[in-house]
Amino acid sequence: MSETNSSREAGALDAITGKPMPKPIPAATLVIFRDQPGSNAPELLMVERSAKMVFAAGAAVFPGGRIDDADFEYARALGHDDFEEYGARIAAVRESIEETGIAVAVDGNLDARRVSEAREALHQGTILADICNQFDWQLELEKLVPFTRWCPPFGEKRVFDTRFYMISHDDHKAQATVDETENYNLFWGNAQSVLDRAEAGEVKIIFPTKRNLERLAQFGTFDEALAHVKQHPVVMVSPHLENREDGEHLCIPEGIGYPITSEPMDAVQRGFRK
């Protein structure tokens, strides 16, 4: 999977204020698919963030978070030369366990009690490498499919350079549960249903999540999503402002797989602003 514009250029300026941008924080997010027999759309796992969180407070998002140094170190220990890419994949797996209690891309004993023990250990500060060694788990990082990558050009309190991955997880017996720290609720739903709930005011979704849900709503199965990403290699998505006849719009590039590429600024939900 190729990628361009892999990092924010040094000296980049805020698209609104013109002030220097802070260095982006590397992050990883995982879109977990669960195909539904007899349904025309797979379910996706969403978590609703605590209102106390600095970023995307109260918003429904895909599981994920910042990439820790230990994730990069684990990638190196596993022999991956591209430790940034594989550190991100490791972080996506780790965050899934921490935030939802579901272990994906892991080979080994994954009974509910074992995964719960791993989750508690992660919350206590144990690194994933040590947990995998203790539980004889093997990570299957090639199962994570690169989907997109976003980094905003706005100098918010925190700026994240986020890699999004997809994975299929059709184990309907696996019970996702909230972590009661960063998240207060989670739910499964197909992409269109989440968009409909947001339109009805039942959930809050920020600009990147909305655009990604619109893109994901095009797929009837995980295999359709795979075929789509093969046609649209990952590029860095960095929204930009455009002044149009009806006002200012927040936009993303055309031709990279998104069916809707702009939204009026006065309607946009951003990570730090309602």
Side-chain angles (χ1 to χ4, degrees), residues 86-113:
Y86 283 88
R89 297 187 188 206
I90 289 168
V93 172
R94 173 180 55 75
E95 288 285 348
S96 174
I97 298 172
E98 289 183 16
E99 293 192 344
T100 73
I102 290 182
V104 296
V106 177
D107 180 46
N109 179 0
L110 297 178
D111 67 53
R113 182 175 179 179

Side-chain angles (χ1 to χ4, degrees), residues 125-157:
T126 305
I127 62 175
L128 185 58
D130 289 347
I131 291 171
C132 289
N133 288 334
Q134 178 184 348
F135 292 166
D136 195 26
W137 283 357
Q138 304 295 320
L139 299 185
E140 301 177 309
L141 300 177
E142 300 303 329
K143 288 187 174 181
L144 274 67
V145 180
F147 177 56
T148 188
R149 185 174 177 181
W150 283 64
C151 189
F154 309 112
E156 305 280 14
K157 295 177 184 178

Side-chain angles (χ1 to χ4, degrees), residues 125-188:
T126 305
I127 62 175
L128 185 58
D130 289 347
I131 291 171
C132 289
N133 288 334
Q134 178 184 348
F135 292 166
D136 195 26
W137 283 357
Q138 304 295 320
L139 299 185
E140 301 177 309
L141 300 177
E142 300 303 329
K143 288 187 174 181
L144 274 67
V145 180
F147 177 56
T148 188
R149 185 174 177 181
W150 283 64
C151 189
F154 309 112
E156 305 280 14
K157 295 177 184 178
R158 295 175 185 168
V159 176
F160 292 95
D161 174 357
T162 306
R163 302 178 192 232
F164 290 74
Y165 299 94
M166 306 186 311
I167 194 167
S168 177
H169 187 72
D170 290 334
D171 181 2
H172 289 233
K173 295 180 180 179
Q175 295 295 316
T177 57
V178 295
D179 65 6
E180 298 180 351
T181 56
E182 296 185 2
N183 310 308
Y184 71 92
N185 186 38
L186 51 74
F187 61 90
W188 291 92

Side-chain angles (χ1 to χ4, degrees), residues 1-272:
M1 192 71 65
S2 64
E3 182 176 320
T4 63
N5 301 328
S6 61
S7 63
R8 172 77 63 205
E9 292 182 2
L13 301 179
D14 186 296
I16 295 177
T17 68
K19 295 181 180 180
M21 286 284 293
K23 183 178 179 179
I25 300 167
T29 290
L30 190 57
V31 183
I32 303 176
F33 282 67
R34 189 170 71 177
D35 283 343
Q36 295 296 299
S39 172
N40 60 359
E43 289 185 330
L44 311 173
L45 183 57
M46 308 290 296
V47 298
E48 291 187 86
R49 293 172 63 79
S50 167
K52 298 180 181 179
M53 299 300 294
V54 174
F55 177 75
V61 298
F62 304 110
R66 71 172 60 210
I67 307 169
D68 295 337
D69 289 342
D71 300 319
F72 292 128
E73 292 169 3
Y74 194 13
R76 289 189 183 95
L78 292 174
H80 296 290
D81 293 333
D82 190 351
F83 66 89
E84 291 186 349
E85 167 66 23
Y86 283 88
R89 297 187 188 206
I90 289 168
V93 172
R94 173 180 55 75
E95 288 285 348
S96 174
I97 298 172
E98 289 183 16
E99 293 192 344
T100 73
I102 290 182
V104 296
V106 177
D107 180 46
N109 179 0
L110 297 178
D111 67 53
R113 182 175 179 179
R114 178 55 56 88
V115 175
S116 179
E117 290 175 355
R119 185 185 198 182
E120 179 61 26
L122 287 169
H123 284 163
Q124 295 299 319
T126 305
I127 62 175
L128 185 58
D130 289 347
I131 291 171
C132 289
N133 288 334
Q134 178 184 348
F135 292 166
D136 195 26
W137 283 357
Q138 304 295 320
L139 299 185
E140 301 177 309
L141 300 177
E142 300 303 329
K143 288 187 174 181
L144 274 67
V145 180
F147 177 56
T148 188
R149 185 174 177 181
W150 283 64
C151 189
F154 309 112
E156 305 280 14
K157 295 177 184 178
R158 295 175 185 168
V159 176
F160 292 95
D161 174 357
T162 306
R163 302 178 192 232
F164 290 74
Y165 299 94
M166 306 186 311
I167 194 167
S168 177
H169 187 72
D170 290 334
D171 181 2
H172 289 233
K173 295 180 180 179
Q175 295 295 316
T177 57
V178 295
D179 65 6
E180 298 180 351
T181 56
E182 296 185 2
N183 310 308
Y184 71 92
N185 186 38
L186 51 74
F187 61 90
W188 291 92
N190 66 60
Q192 188 59 54
S193 73
V194 181
L195 290 167
D196 292 342
R197 291 183 62 188
E199 183 67 23
E202 298 175 4
V203 296
K204 172 186 172 183
I205 52 175
I206 59 176
F207 183 82
T209 307
K210 188 174 184 178
R211 301 286 84 83
N212 282 315
L213 284 168
E214 290 162 350
R215 185 178 178 186
L216 292 162
Q218 301 175 106
F219 313 133
T221 63
F222 181 72
D223 285 343
E224 287 184 15
L226 285 179
H228 169 88
V229 298
K230 289 180 180 179
Q231 296 174 351
H232 299 280
V234 173
V235 297
M236 178 74 82
V237 182
S238 186
H240 62 277
L241 297 174
E242 287 186 11
N243 287 311
R244 301 180 177 178
E245 291 184 359
D246 59 345
E248 195 171 50
H249 286 240
L250 188 61
C251 310
I252 61 175
E254 302 281 350
I256 58 173
Y258 289 88
I260 299 176
T261 58
S262 68
E263 186 174 356
M265 273 298 289
D266 59 7
V268 168
Q269 295 275 355
R270 290 169 58 193
F272 298 95

